[in-house]
Amino acid sequence: MVKDKKTGLYCALETVIGALCALVLFVLTVMSLCGRAYMPMTWRERVIFKNNGIFFWLALPAGIAVLLVLFRFISKIPQRILFIVCSFVFAAAGLFLIINAPQVLRADAGKVFRAAKQFNSGVYSSLKFGGYMYMYPHQLGLATFWRPLASLRLGVYAAFTVNLAMALTANFALWSSARLVYGENSPAVNYICIMLFLFLPHLFFILFVYGMTCGLCFMCLALYFGVKYLKGKGRAGGFLCVLFLALSCTVRNNNYIGAIAIGIGFVLYAVKDKKPLRLIYPAAVFAVTFLLCSLIKWGYGAAAKAPVNDGMPKTLWIAMGLQDNDFRMDGWSNAYNEQTYVKNNRDSKKSSETAVKNIKERLGFFAENPGKAFEFFGNKLRSTWTEPTFQSLWSGPLNDCKQPVKTGFLKNLYGGGSAYEAVNEFGAVITAMIYVSAMAGLIYSLVSREKIGFFGLVICMYLAGGFLFHTVWETKSQYVYPYVYMLIPFAARWLSRAAQAVNVFFHIKEIERGKKLHD
Protein backbone atom coordinates (compact mmCIF):
# COMPACT_ATOMS: atom_id res chain seq x y z
CA MET A 1 0.00 0.00 0.00
CA VAL A 2 2.84 2.40 0.82
CA LYS A 3 4.34 1.82 -2.61
CA ASP A 4 1.03 2.58 -4.32
CA LYS A 5 0.60 5.77 -2.34
CA LYS A 6 4.07 6.96 -3.25
CA THR A 7 3.55 6.04 -6.88
CA GLY A 8 0.23 7.88 -6.77
CA LEU A 9 1.94 10.94 -5.29
CA TYR A 10 4.56 10.85 -8.02
CA CYS A 11 1.92 10.58 -10.76
CA ALA A 12 -0.05 13.47 -9.27
CA LEU A 13 3.04 15.68 -9.09
CA GLU A 14 4.04 14.70 -12.62
CA THR A 15 0.58 15.71 -13.87
CA VAL A 16 0.67 19.05 -12.04
CA ILE A 17 4.13 19.89 -13.39
CA GLY A 18 3.11 18.87 -16.91
CA ALA A 19 -0.09 20.93 -16.74
CA LEU A 20 1.80 24.01 -15.51
CA CYS A 21 4.31 23.68 -18.35
CA ALA A 22 1.48 23.16 -20.87
CA LEU A 23 -0.11 26.40 -19.66
CA VAL A 24 3.19 28.25 -20.13
CA LEU A 25 3.56 26.75 -23.60
CA PHE A 26 0.01 27.80 -24.47
CA VAL A 27 0.86 31.41 -23.56
CA LEU A 28 4.10 31.27 -25.57
CA THR A 29 2.32 29.71 -28.55
CA VAL A 30 -0.39 32.37 -28.60
CA MET A 31 2.19 35.16 -28.35
CA SER A 32 4.35 33.71 -31.13
CA LEU A 33 1.36 33.34 -33.45
CA CYS A 34 0.11 36.86 -32.73
CA GLY A 35 3.39 38.49 -33.70
CA ARG A 36 7.01 38.81 -32.76
CA ALA A 37 9.53 41.16 -31.20
CA TYR A 38 12.20 42.65 -33.42
CA MET A 39 15.55 44.14 -32.45
CA PRO A 40 17.22 46.60 -34.84
CA MET A 41 21.00 46.12 -35.04
CA THR A 42 21.96 49.36 -33.31
CA TRP A 43 23.62 50.03 -29.96
CA ARG A 44 20.30 51.20 -28.44
CA GLU A 45 19.06 47.63 -27.71
CA ARG A 46 15.55 48.81 -28.42
CA VAL A 47 12.75 46.31 -29.12
CA ILE A 48 9.77 46.88 -31.40
CA PHE A 49 6.81 44.63 -32.18
CA LYS A 50 5.90 43.35 -35.62
CA ASN A 51 2.99 41.35 -37.00
CA ASN A 52 3.70 38.01 -38.65
CA GLY A 53 3.70 38.41 -42.42
CA ILE A 54 2.58 36.16 -45.23
CA PHE A 55 5.92 34.31 -45.20
CA PHE A 56 5.34 33.20 -41.61
CA TRP A 57 1.83 31.90 -42.25
CA LEU A 58 2.94 29.99 -45.33
CA ALA A 59 6.25 28.72 -43.95
CA LEU A 60 5.01 27.47 -40.56
CA PRO A 61 2.48 24.90 -41.85
CA ALA A 62 4.70 24.14 -44.84
CA GLY A 63 7.68 23.44 -42.60
CA ILE A 64 5.67 21.13 -40.36
CA ALA A 65 4.17 19.41 -43.42
CA VAL A 66 7.61 18.81 -44.93
CA LEU A 67 8.86 17.20 -41.72
CA LEU A 68 5.75 15.02 -41.59
CA VAL A 69 5.90 13.94 -45.23
CA LEU A 70 9.63 13.22 -45.18
CA PHE A 71 9.28 10.78 -42.27
CA ARG A 72 10.27 7.72 -44.33
CA PHE A 73 13.44 9.40 -45.54
CA ILE A 74 14.41 11.02 -42.23
CA SER A 75 13.77 7.89 -40.15
CA LYS A 76 16.03 5.78 -42.39
CA ILE A 77 19.10 8.00 -42.03
CA PRO A 78 21.60 6.42 -39.59
CA GLN A 79 21.50 8.52 -36.42
CA ARG A 80 25.24 8.83 -35.98
CA ILE A 81 25.80 9.76 -39.64
CA LEU A 82 23.15 12.47 -39.46
CA PHE A 83 24.58 13.92 -36.26
CA ILE A 84 28.15 13.89 -37.61
CA VAL A 85 27.12 15.61 -40.85
CA CYS A 86 25.08 18.25 -39.02
CA SER A 87 27.94 18.82 -36.56
CA PHE A 88 30.42 19.23 -39.40
CA VAL A 89 28.25 21.88 -41.09
CA PHE A 90 27.72 23.62 -37.73
CA ALA A 91 31.46 23.61 -36.98
CA ALA A 92 32.29 24.98 -40.44
CA ALA A 93 29.74 27.80 -40.02
CA GLY A 94 31.07 28.52 -36.53
CA LEU A 95 34.68 28.71 -37.72
CA PHE A 96 33.59 31.05 -40.52
CA LEU A 97 32.06 33.37 -37.92
CA ILE A 98 35.13 33.22 -35.69
CA ILE A 99 37.66 33.88 -38.46
CA ASN A 100 35.75 36.92 -39.67
CA ALA A 101 34.83 38.39 -36.27
CA PRO A 102 36.79 41.19 -34.55
CA GLN A 103 38.74 40.48 -31.38
CA VAL A 104 36.74 43.13 -29.52
CA LEU A 105 34.18 42.55 -26.76
CA ARG A 106 31.79 45.10 -25.31
CA ALA A 107 29.54 45.71 -22.29
CA ASP A 108 29.55 43.12 -19.48
CA ALA A 109 31.18 40.41 -21.58
CA GLY A 110 34.11 42.73 -22.28
CA LYS A 111 34.38 43.82 -18.64
CA VAL A 112 34.47 40.24 -17.36
CA PHE A 113 37.11 39.18 -19.90
CA ARG A 114 39.15 42.31 -19.16
CA ALA A 115 39.00 41.51 -15.44
CA ALA A 116 40.24 37.98 -16.21
CA LYS A 117 43.24 39.47 -18.02
CA GLN A 118 43.94 41.83 -15.11
CA PHE A 119 43.75 38.98 -12.58
CA ASN A 120 46.33 37.09 -14.64
CA SER A 121 48.63 40.11 -14.33
CA GLY A 122 48.10 40.36 -10.57
CA VAL A 123 45.89 43.45 -10.88
CA TYR A 124 42.75 43.35 -8.71
CA SER A 125 41.48 46.90 -9.11
CA SER A 126 38.06 45.70 -10.31
CA LEU A 127 37.49 44.20 -6.83
CA LYS A 128 38.06 47.54 -5.14
CA PHE A 129 35.36 50.05 -4.16
CA GLY A 130 33.50 51.13 -7.30
CA GLY A 131 35.09 48.49 -9.54
CA TYR A 132 33.06 46.17 -11.78
CA MET A 133 33.70 43.04 -9.69
CA TYR A 134 33.00 45.03 -6.53
CA MET A 135 29.44 45.51 -7.75
CA TYR A 136 29.10 42.19 -9.62
CA PRO A 137 31.08 39.61 -7.59
CA HIS A 138 28.83 36.84 -8.96
CA GLN A 139 30.83 37.21 -12.21
CA LEU A 140 34.01 35.95 -10.53
CA GLY A 141 33.20 32.37 -11.46
CA LEU A 142 32.94 33.30 -15.14
CA ALA A 143 36.12 35.40 -14.98
CA THR A 144 37.94 32.44 -13.41
CA PHE A 145 36.70 30.18 -16.21
CA TRP A 146 38.09 32.56 -18.86
CA ARG A 147 41.44 33.19 -17.16
CA PRO A 148 43.42 30.43 -18.94
CA LEU A 149 42.22 31.71 -22.32
CA ALA A 150 42.69 35.37 -21.37
CA SER A 151 46.39 34.67 -20.88
CA LEU A 152 46.75 33.71 -24.55
CA ARG A 153 47.58 36.25 -27.26
CA LEU A 154 44.52 35.10 -29.20
CA GLY A 155 42.40 35.07 -26.03
CA VAL A 156 39.11 36.27 -27.55
CA TYR A 157 39.41 33.99 -30.57
CA ALA A 158 40.26 31.13 -28.23
CA ALA A 159 37.15 31.95 -26.18
CA PHE A 160 35.05 31.94 -29.38
CA THR A 161 36.50 28.54 -30.26
CA VAL A 162 35.73 27.19 -26.79
CA ASN A 163 32.16 28.45 -27.20
CA LEU A 164 31.93 26.59 -30.53
CA ALA A 165 33.16 23.38 -28.89
CA MET A 166 30.73 23.89 -26.02
CA ALA A 167 27.81 24.48 -28.42
CA LEU A 168 28.60 21.22 -30.23
CA THR A 169 28.97 19.39 -26.90
CA ALA A 170 25.59 20.71 -25.73
CA ASN A 171 24.01 19.37 -28.92
CA PHE A 172 25.72 16.03 -28.38
CA ALA A 173 24.60 15.83 -24.73
CA LEU A 174 20.96 16.65 -25.51
CA TRP A 175 20.95 14.30 -28.51
CA SER A 176 22.52 11.53 -26.42
CA SER A 177 19.97 12.09 -23.63
CA ALA A 178 17.18 11.68 -26.17
CA ARG A 179 18.73 8.42 -27.39
CA LEU A 180 18.77 7.10 -23.84
CA VAL A 181 15.17 8.14 -23.17
CA TYR A 182 13.41 7.53 -26.47
CA GLY A 183 15.55 4.62 -27.69
CA GLU A 184 18.52 4.45 -30.04
CA ASN A 185 16.29 3.31 -32.90
CA SER A 186 13.60 5.94 -32.35
CA PRO A 187 12.93 8.23 -35.38
CA ALA A 188 12.44 11.04 -32.85
CA VAL A 189 16.21 11.17 -32.35
CA ASN A 190 16.75 12.20 -35.99
CA TYR A 191 14.08 14.87 -35.73
CA ILE A 192 15.75 16.18 -32.58
CA CYS A 193 19.10 16.29 -34.37
CA ILE A 194 17.66 18.29 -37.28
CA MET A 195 15.88 20.81 -35.05
CA LEU A 196 18.92 21.29 -32.81
CA PHE A 197 20.93 22.45 -35.79
CA LEU A 198 18.09 24.54 -37.26
CA PHE A 199 17.96 26.61 -34.07
CA LEU A 200 20.37 29.30 -35.30
CA PRO A 201 20.74 31.34 -32.06
CA HIS A 202 22.76 28.41 -30.72
CA LEU A 203 25.27 29.03 -33.52
CA PHE A 204 25.39 32.82 -33.33
CA PHE A 205 25.88 32.87 -29.55
CA ILE A 206 29.41 31.48 -29.95
CA LEU A 207 30.54 35.09 -30.49
CA PHE A 208 29.04 36.11 -27.15
CA VAL A 209 31.71 35.50 -24.50
CA TYR A 210 29.47 35.77 -21.46
CA GLY A 211 29.07 32.24 -20.09
CA MET A 212 25.74 31.65 -21.83
CA THR A 213 26.93 28.82 -24.08
CA CYS A 214 29.32 27.32 -21.51
CA GLY A 215 26.70 27.30 -18.77
CA LEU A 216 24.15 25.68 -21.08
CA CYS A 217 26.68 23.05 -22.15
CA PHE A 218 27.46 22.09 -18.55
CA MET A 219 23.75 21.87 -17.77
CA CYS A 220 23.07 19.63 -20.79
CA LEU A 221 25.93 17.37 -19.68
CA ALA A 222 24.49 17.30 -16.15
CA LEU A 223 21.09 16.31 -17.52
CA TYR A 224 22.66 13.59 -19.66
CA PHE A 225 24.55 12.06 -16.75
CA GLY A 226 21.46 12.37 -14.54
CA VAL A 227 19.40 10.44 -17.08
CA LYS A 228 22.17 7.88 -17.46
CA TYR A 229 22.39 7.39 -13.70
CA LEU A 230 18.64 6.95 -13.23
CA LYS A 231 18.58 4.42 -16.05
CA GLY A 232 21.16 2.35 -14.19
CA LYS A 233 23.91 2.87 -16.76
CA GLY A 234 26.67 3.84 -14.36
CA ARG A 235 26.91 5.02 -10.75
CA ALA A 236 29.36 7.72 -11.74
CA GLY A 237 26.53 9.48 -13.57
CA GLY A 238 25.12 10.94 -10.37
CA PHE A 239 28.47 12.43 -9.31
CA LEU A 240 29.15 13.82 -12.80
CA CYS A 241 25.67 15.34 -12.79
CA VAL A 242 26.52 17.15 -9.54
CA LEU A 243 29.89 18.31 -10.88
CA PHE A 244 28.55 19.76 -14.14
CA LEU A 245 25.60 21.44 -12.42
CA ALA A 246 27.99 23.11 -9.97
CA LEU A 247 30.13 24.34 -12.89
CA SER A 248 27.02 25.53 -14.74
CA CYS A 249 25.80 27.57 -11.76
CA THR A 250 29.26 28.97 -11.10
CA VAL A 251 29.75 30.42 -14.58
CA ARG A 252 26.11 31.49 -14.97
CA ASN A 253 24.02 32.10 -11.85
CA ASN A 254 20.70 31.91 -13.75
CA ASN A 255 21.40 28.21 -14.19
CA TYR A 256 20.32 27.65 -10.60
CA ILE A 257 16.87 27.31 -12.19
CA GLY A 258 18.13 24.29 -14.11
CA ALA A 259 19.85 22.92 -11.01
CA ILE A 260 16.60 23.22 -9.04
CA ALA A 261 14.70 21.49 -11.86
CA ILE A 262 17.14 18.56 -11.96
CA GLY A 263 17.23 18.45 -8.14
CA ILE A 264 13.43 18.21 -7.93
CA GLY A 265 13.58 15.51 -10.61
CA PHE A 266 15.88 13.46 -8.36
CA VAL A 267 13.52 14.01 -5.42
CA LEU A 268 10.51 12.85 -7.46
CA TYR A 269 12.35 9.74 -8.59
CA ALA A 270 13.46 9.03 -5.04
CA VAL A 271 9.76 9.01 -4.12
CA LYS A 272 8.73 7.05 -7.22
CA ASP A 273 11.32 4.29 -6.87
CA LYS A 274 11.45 4.35 -3.07
CA LYS A 275 15.20 5.13 -3.03
CA PRO A 276 15.83 7.89 -0.48
CA LEU A 277 19.59 7.83 -1.13
CA ARG A 278 18.91 9.73 -4.33
CA LEU A 279 18.10 12.75 -2.19
CA ILE A 280 21.84 13.07 -1.63
CA TYR A 281 22.38 14.35 -5.17
CA PRO A 282 20.26 17.54 -5.13
CA ALA A 283 21.71 18.40 -1.72
CA ALA A 284 25.20 17.76 -3.05
CA VAL A 285 24.65 20.11 -6.02
CA PHE A 286 24.03 23.12 -3.82
CA ALA A 287 26.69 22.12 -1.30
CA VAL A 288 29.35 21.76 -4.02
CA THR A 289 28.24 24.98 -5.76
CA PHE A 290 28.32 26.90 -2.48
CA LEU A 291 31.75 25.48 -1.65
CA LEU A 292 33.11 26.27 -5.12
CA CYS A 293 31.79 29.85 -5.09
CA SER A 294 33.08 30.37 -1.54
CA LEU A 295 36.54 29.11 -2.50
CA ILE A 296 36.61 31.46 -5.50
CA LYS A 297 35.64 34.46 -3.35
CA TRP A 298 38.12 33.48 -0.65
CA GLY A 299 40.90 33.05 -3.22
CA TYR A 300 40.33 36.46 -4.76
CA GLY A 301 39.99 38.04 -1.33
CA ALA A 302 43.33 36.57 -0.31
CA ALA A 303 44.97 37.68 -3.57
CA ALA A 304 43.56 41.21 -3.30
CA LYS A 305 44.28 41.29 0.45
CA ALA A 306 40.73 42.46 1.13
CA PRO A 307 37.40 40.61 1.48
CA VAL A 308 35.34 40.37 -1.70
CA ASN A 309 32.28 42.62 -1.55
CA ASP A 310 28.81 41.04 -1.49
CA GLY A 311 27.76 43.21 -4.41
CA MET A 312 24.39 44.63 -5.27
CA PRO A 313 21.38 43.01 -3.55
CA LYS A 314 19.16 40.85 -5.78
CA THR A 315 16.11 42.94 -4.93
CA LEU A 316 17.49 45.66 -7.23
CA TRP A 317 16.99 43.38 -10.25
CA ILE A 318 13.42 42.61 -9.20
CA ALA A 319 12.61 46.31 -8.82
CA MET A 320 14.17 47.01 -12.21
CA GLY A 321 12.17 44.19 -13.78
CA LEU A 322 8.92 45.85 -12.68
CA GLN A 323 9.67 49.28 -14.18
CA ASP A 324 8.50 50.91 -17.40
CA ASN A 325 11.28 51.38 -19.89
CA ASP A 326 10.76 53.78 -22.77
CA PHE A 327 14.36 53.45 -23.97
CA ARG A 328 14.35 49.66 -24.46
CA MET A 329 11.23 47.75 -23.37
CA ASP A 330 9.20 47.29 -20.17
CA GLY A 331 11.06 45.24 -17.59
CA TRP A 332 14.39 45.40 -19.46
CA SER A 333 17.66 46.65 -18.02
CA ASN A 334 17.68 50.42 -17.47
CA ALA A 335 20.70 50.86 -15.14
CA TYR A 336 18.37 51.29 -12.13
CA ASN A 337 20.38 48.75 -10.13
CA GLU A 338 23.70 50.52 -10.57
CA GLN A 339 22.25 53.99 -10.11
CA THR A 340 20.43 53.02 -6.92
CA TYR A 341 23.50 51.23 -5.55
CA VAL A 342 25.77 54.23 -6.24
CA LYS A 343 23.17 56.65 -4.88
CA ASN A 344 23.20 54.71 -1.59
CA ASN A 345 27.01 54.91 -1.47
CA ARG A 346 27.24 51.23 -2.51
CA ASP A 347 25.62 50.13 0.75
CA SER A 348 23.83 46.80 0.14
CA LYS A 349 21.40 47.15 3.05
CA LYS A 350 20.27 50.66 2.14
CA SER A 351 20.05 49.72 -1.54
CA SER A 352 17.87 46.73 -0.70
CA GLU A 353 15.57 48.88 1.44
CA THR A 354 15.15 51.29 -1.49
CA ALA A 355 14.46 48.42 -3.87
CA VAL A 356 11.87 46.82 -1.57
CA LYS A 357 10.13 50.18 -1.23
CA ASN A 358 10.05 50.59 -5.02
CA ILE A 359 8.75 47.04 -5.46
CA LYS A 360 5.87 47.65 -3.03
CA GLU A 361 5.01 50.92 -4.74
CA ARG A 362 5.00 49.27 -8.14
CA LEU A 363 2.89 46.30 -7.03
CA GLY A 364 0.46 48.74 -5.41
CA PHE A 365 0.23 50.61 -8.72
CA PHE A 366 -0.47 47.36 -10.59
CA ALA A 367 -3.16 46.41 -8.06
CA GLU A 368 -4.91 49.75 -8.60
CA ASN A 369 -4.42 49.69 -12.38
CA PRO A 370 -4.93 46.10 -13.63
CA GLY A 371 -5.12 47.30 -17.23
CA LYS A 372 -1.66 48.84 -16.95
CA ALA A 373 -0.36 45.67 -15.31
CA PHE A 374 -1.70 43.53 -18.17
CA GLU A 375 -0.12 45.85 -20.74
CA PHE A 376 3.20 45.94 -18.87
CA PHE A 377 3.60 42.19 -18.43
CA GLY A 378 2.27 41.58 -21.94
CA ASN A 379 5.00 43.81 -23.39
CA LYS A 380 7.61 42.27 -21.12
CA LEU A 381 6.74 38.66 -22.00
CA ARG A 382 6.36 39.30 -25.73
CA SER A 383 9.69 41.14 -25.97
CA THR A 384 11.39 38.35 -24.03
CA TRP A 385 9.98 35.19 -25.62
CA THR A 386 9.07 36.09 -29.22
CA GLU A 387 12.29 37.76 -30.41
CA PRO A 388 13.42 35.03 -32.86
CA THR A 389 17.16 35.72 -32.70
CA PHE A 390 17.15 35.95 -28.88
CA GLN A 391 19.72 38.75 -29.32
CA SER A 392 22.25 36.19 -30.53
CA LEU A 393 23.26 38.49 -33.39
CA TRP A 394 22.85 41.75 -31.50
CA SER A 395 25.06 40.39 -28.70
CA GLY A 396 27.80 39.71 -31.24
CA PRO A 397 29.88 42.26 -33.16
CA LEU A 398 28.08 45.54 -33.88
CA ASN A 399 29.48 48.16 -36.24
CA ASP A 400 27.82 50.84 -34.06
CA CYS A 401 30.12 49.74 -31.25
CA LYS A 402 33.28 49.65 -33.37
CA GLN A 403 33.20 45.87 -33.86
CA PRO A 404 33.44 45.55 -37.65
CA VAL A 405 33.16 42.10 -39.23
CA LYS A 406 34.73 40.89 -42.47
CA THR A 407 33.02 39.68 -45.69
CA GLY A 408 30.02 41.27 -47.35
CA PHE A 409 27.64 38.61 -46.08
CA LEU A 410 28.51 39.13 -42.41
CA LYS A 411 28.43 42.91 -42.81
CA ASN A 412 24.91 42.53 -44.18
CA LEU A 413 23.93 40.08 -41.43
CA TYR A 414 25.33 42.05 -38.49
CA GLY A 415 24.40 45.36 -40.07
CA GLY A 416 20.68 44.60 -40.08
CA GLY A 417 20.46 44.01 -43.85
CA SER A 418 18.47 41.48 -45.87
CA ALA A 419 20.39 38.55 -44.32
CA TYR A 420 19.39 39.71 -40.83
CA GLU A 421 15.77 40.05 -41.98
CA ALA A 422 15.88 36.52 -43.41
CA VAL A 423 17.25 35.10 -40.15
CA ASN A 424 14.45 36.87 -38.26
CA GLU A 425 11.79 35.46 -40.59
CA PHE A 426 13.24 31.95 -40.43
CA GLY A 427 13.74 32.18 -36.65
CA ALA A 428 10.14 33.25 -36.08
CA VAL A 429 8.96 30.12 -37.90
CA ILE A 430 11.32 27.79 -36.01
CA THR A 431 10.48 29.35 -32.62
CA ALA A 432 6.73 29.06 -33.26
CA MET A 433 7.22 25.48 -34.47
CA ILE A 434 9.03 24.62 -31.23
CA TYR A 435 6.31 26.19 -29.07
CA VAL A 436 3.39 24.68 -31.01
CA SER A 437 4.92 21.21 -31.27
CA ALA A 438 6.09 21.08 -27.65
CA MET A 439 2.65 22.20 -26.44
CA ALA A 440 0.86 19.65 -28.61
CA GLY A 441 3.16 16.85 -27.49
CA LEU A 442 2.82 17.70 -23.81
CA ILE A 443 -0.97 17.99 -23.99
CA TYR A 444 -1.09 14.62 -25.76
CA SER A 445 1.02 13.06 -22.99
CA LEU A 446 -1.26 14.51 -20.31
CA VAL A 447 -4.50 13.45 -22.01
CA SER A 448 -3.25 9.95 -22.82
CA ARG A 449 -1.78 9.67 -19.30
CA GLU A 450 1.58 8.86 -20.81
CA LYS A 451 4.55 9.07 -18.43
CA ILE A 452 6.58 12.24 -18.85
CA GLY A 453 9.64 10.79 -17.11
CA PHE A 454 12.71 12.43 -15.55
CA PHE A 455 13.99 13.92 -18.81
CA GLY A 456 10.63 15.47 -19.65
CA LEU A 457 9.98 16.64 -16.09
CA VAL A 458 13.28 18.50 -15.95
CA ILE A 459 12.51 20.24 -19.25
CA CYS A 460 9.02 21.16 -18.00
CA MET A 461 10.24 22.53 -14.68
CA TYR A 462 13.12 24.37 -16.32
CA LEU A 463 10.78 26.15 -18.72
CA ALA A 464 8.12 26.93 -16.10
CA GLY A 465 10.77 28.14 -13.64
CA GLY A 466 12.42 30.35 -16.25
CA PHE A 467 9.08 31.79 -17.34
CA LEU A 468 8.10 32.72 -13.78
CA PHE A 469 11.58 34.00 -12.93
CA HIS A 470 11.84 36.37 -15.88
CA THR A 471 8.28 37.57 -15.40
CA VAL A 472 9.38 39.34 -12.23
CA TRP A 473 13.16 39.65 -12.73
CA GLU A 474 14.91 42.08 -15.07
CA THR A 475 14.69 40.58 -18.52
CA LYS A 476 16.20 40.35 -22.00
CA SER A 477 15.41 37.97 -24.82
CA GLN A 478 18.95 36.54 -24.68
CA TYR A 479 18.25 35.23 -21.18
CA VAL A 480 15.55 32.78 -22.33
CA TYR A 481 17.37 31.19 -25.26
CA PRO A 482 18.48 28.20 -23.10
CA TYR A 483 14.87 27.42 -22.11
CA VAL A 484 13.72 27.37 -25.74
CA TYR A 485 16.75 25.31 -26.77
CA MET A 486 15.92 22.69 -24.13
CA LEU A 487 12.33 22.43 -25.48
CA ILE A 488 13.56 21.01 -28.78
CA PRO A 489 13.42 17.30 -27.70
CA PHE A 490 9.75 17.74 -26.72
CA ALA A 491 8.89 19.47 -29.97
CA ALA A 492 10.83 17.10 -32.21
CA ARG A 493 9.46 13.99 -30.51
CA TRP A 494 5.87 15.11 -31.12
CA LEU A 495 6.64 15.92 -34.76
CA SER A 496 8.18 12.49 -35.14
CA ARG A 497 5.14 10.75 -33.65
CA ALA A 498 2.76 12.82 -35.76
CA ALA A 499 4.83 11.98 -38.85
CA GLN A 500 4.73 8.31 -37.95
CA ALA A 501 0.93 8.45 -37.61
CA VAL A 502 0.62 10.20 -40.99
CA ASN A 503 2.92 7.63 -42.55
CA VAL A 504 0.85 4.74 -41.15
CA PHE A 505 -2.35 6.39 -42.39
CA PHE A 506 -1.06 6.73 -45.96
CA HIS A 507 0.43 3.24 -45.83
CA ILE A 508 -2.99 1.84 -44.92
CA LYS A 509 -4.56 3.84 -47.75
CA GLU A 510 -2.01 2.40 -50.17
CA ILE A 511 -2.82 -1.13 -49.04
CA GLU A 512 -6.56 -0.50 -49.41
CA ARG A 513 -6.03 0.99 -52.87
CA GLY A 514 -3.92 -2.03 -53.84
CA LYS A 515 -6.65 -4.42 -52.68
CA LYS A 516 -9.28 -2.58 -54.73
CA LEU A 517 -7.11 -2.76 -57.84
CA HIS A 518 -6.47 -6.45 -57.22
CA ASP A 519 -10.18 -7.16 -56.79
Side-chain angles (χ1 to χ4, degrees):
M1 293 299 291
V2 174
K3 183 177 180 179
D4 291 337
K5 287 181 180 180
K6 287 192 174 183
T7 303
L9 175 61
Y10 168 81
C11 290
L13 292 172
E14 185 181 63
T15 301
V16 170
I17 292 169
L20 177 60
C21 183
L23 178 61
V24 171
L25 282 169
F26 174 76
V27 173
L28 297 181
T29 297
V30 170
M31 289 194 302
S32 67
L33 295 178
C34 289
R36 69 178 186 271
Y38 177 85
M39 176 162 285
M41 292 292 282
T42 66
W43 66 272
R44 289 174 62 86
E45 198 177 10
R46 182 169 177 79
V47 182
I48 59 177
F49 293 122
K50 287 188 173 184
N51 294 324
N52 291 321
I54 186 66
F55 174 82
F56 175 88
W57 291 110
L58 291 176
L60 179 60
I64 294 175
V66 167
L67 288 174
L68 297 182
V69 171
L70 293 181
F71 173 79
R72 290 186 182 181
F73 172 73
I74 293 173
S75 62
K76 290 180 180 179
I77 303 175
Q79 292 178 358
R80 295 179 187 275
I81 298 298
L82 179 62
F83 185 84
I84 290 171
V85 170
C86 288
S87 297
F88 178 81
V89 174
F90 187 96
L95 288 172
F96 175 76
L97 289 177
I98 293 169
I99 292 170
N100 292 290
Q103 195 173 193
V104 180
L105 301 176
R106 71 176 191 276
D108 291 285
K111 292 174 182 177
V112 172
F113 205 79
R114 196 176 305 117
K117 286 184 176 181
Q118 291 174 346
F119 293 156
N120 286 340
S121 301
V123 178
Y124 298 93
S125 57
S126 64
L127 288 168
K128 294 180 180 180
F129 187 82
Y132 180 80
M133 288 298 177
Y134 182 88
M135 294 194 292
Y136 299 95
H138 63 274
Q139 302 281 31
L140 286 172
L142 179 58
T144 303
F145 179 80
W146 289 131
R147 283 184 67 173
L149 297 178
S151 64
L152 304 175
R153 181 174 296 180
L154 297 177
V156 173
Y157 287 134
F160 290 157
T161 305
V162 167
N163 270 350
L164 174 58
M166 291 281 188
L168 286 166
T169 303
N171 282 342
F172 177 75
L174 208 53
W175 176 78
S176 298
S177 297
R179 295 186 78 205
L180 284 173
V181 175
Y182 303 137
E184 293 186 1
N185 297 318
S186 172
V189 176
N190 279 1
Y191 276 76
I192 290 169
C193 179
I194 291 171
M195 292 190 72
L196 282 174
F197 289 97
L198 287 178
F199 190 58
L200 295 182
H202 194 56
L203 169 66
F204 296 131
F205 266 126
I206 67 174
L207 298 185
F208 187 42
V209 184
Y210 196 49
M212 188 89 71
T213 299
C214 298
L216 177 60
C217 173
F218 290 142
M219 188 163 59
C220 288
L221 286 169
L223 179 57
Y224 167 70
F225 284 113
V227 169
K228 195 171 184 180
Y229 167 73
L230 290 175
K231 283 195 166 287
K233 295 182 180 292
R235 294 181 179 179
F239 298 104
L240 290 172
C241 177
V242 170
L243 173 63
F244 283 115
L245 273 182
L247 289 173
S248 180
C249 294
T250 301
V251 300
R252 186 75 178 170
N253 285 181
N254 284 5
N255 290 338
Y256 275 110
I257 298 171
I260 292 171
I262 293 176
I264 294 175
F266 269 99
V267 172
L268 292 174
Y269 262 62
V271 172
K272 175 180 177 290
D273 297 332
K274 199 178 178 181
K275 293 183 177 180
L277 283 178
R278 287 177 178 170
L279 298 175
I280 294 173
Y281 293 100
V285 169
F286 297 102
V288 172
T289 305
F290 175 79
L291 178 61
L292 186 57
C293 291
S294 297
L295 285 173
I296 290 173
K297 288 185 70 174
W298 174 83
Y300 282 106
K305 298 180 180 179
V308 174
N309 184 46
D310 291 333
M312 291 182 283
K314 305 305 181 186
T315 47
L316 289 172
W317 276 269
I318 298 175
M320 182 163 56
L322 296 175
Q323 293 177 354
D324 295 325
N325 191 331
D326 295 329
F327 184 76
R328 290 190 173 101
M329 181 52 69
D330 295 340
W332 283 52
S333 175
N334 61 4
Y336 162 86
N337 54 345
E338 288 189 10
Q339 292 172 0
T340 304
Y341 191 57
V342 172
K343 186 178 179 180
N344 285 284
N345 198 31
R346 297 177 175 83
D347 185 300
S348 295
K349 184 178 179 181
K350 290 181 179 179
S351 298
S352 183
E353 290 173 353
T354 301
V356 171
K357 179 183 176 182
N358 293 155
I359 292 169
K360 290 180 179 178
E361 290 174 351
R362 191 63 172 161
L363 292 178
F365 172 79
F366 286 150
E368 295 174 1
N369 299 274
K372 290 288 185 181
F374 183 82
E375 180 184 2
F376 173 86
F377 286 107
N379 288 339
K380 184 178 182 181
L381 291 172
R382 287 176 63 199
S383 63
T384 302
W385 294 92
T386 69
E387 199 277 289
T389 71
F390 296 94
Q391 293 183 277
S392 57
L393 288 166
W394 184 90
S395 299
L398 277 183
N399 193 54
D400 270 9
C401 300
K402 298 181 180 180
Q403 295 174 288
V405 292
K406 303 173 186 176
T407 80
F409 171 73
L410 290 183
K411 288 178 181 178
N412 184 291
L413 179 64
Y414 283 95
S418 57
Y420 180 69
E421 297 295 330
V423 169
N424 265 272
E425 294 284 355
F426 178 77
V429 173
I430 294 297
T431 302
M433 187 183 296
I434 291 172
Y435 290 156
V436 171
S437 302
M439 179 188 69
L442 185 54
I443 290 175
Y444 174 83
S445 296
L446 290 170
V447 172
S448 64
R449 303 184 68 82
E450 181 182 70
K451 298 297 183 185
I452 298 175
F454 175 79
F455 185 59
L457 281 171
V458 169
I459 293 174
C460 285
M461 290 185 287
Y462 185 51
L463 175 68
F467 183 86
L468 293 173
F469 178 76
H470 289 291
T471 298
V472 297
W473 196 265
E474 171 259 338
T475 195
K476 285 187 180 184
S477 60
Q478 65 179 237
Y479 296 161
V480 302
Y481 129 78
Y483 308 107
V484 181
Y485 174 82
M486 294 286 281
L487 274 177
I488 289 174
F490 256 10
R493 189 191 183 203
W494 180 83
L495 282 172
S496 169
R497 297 177 72 171
Q500 199 165 5
V502 170
N503 182 68
V504 170
F505 173 79
F506 282 112
H507 183 63
I508 292 173
K509 289 295 182 182
E510 287 178 5
I511 294 174
E512 291 177 349
R513 192 180 299 112
K515 286 183 178 180
K516 287 181 180 179
L517 291 174
H518 184 267
D519 293 340

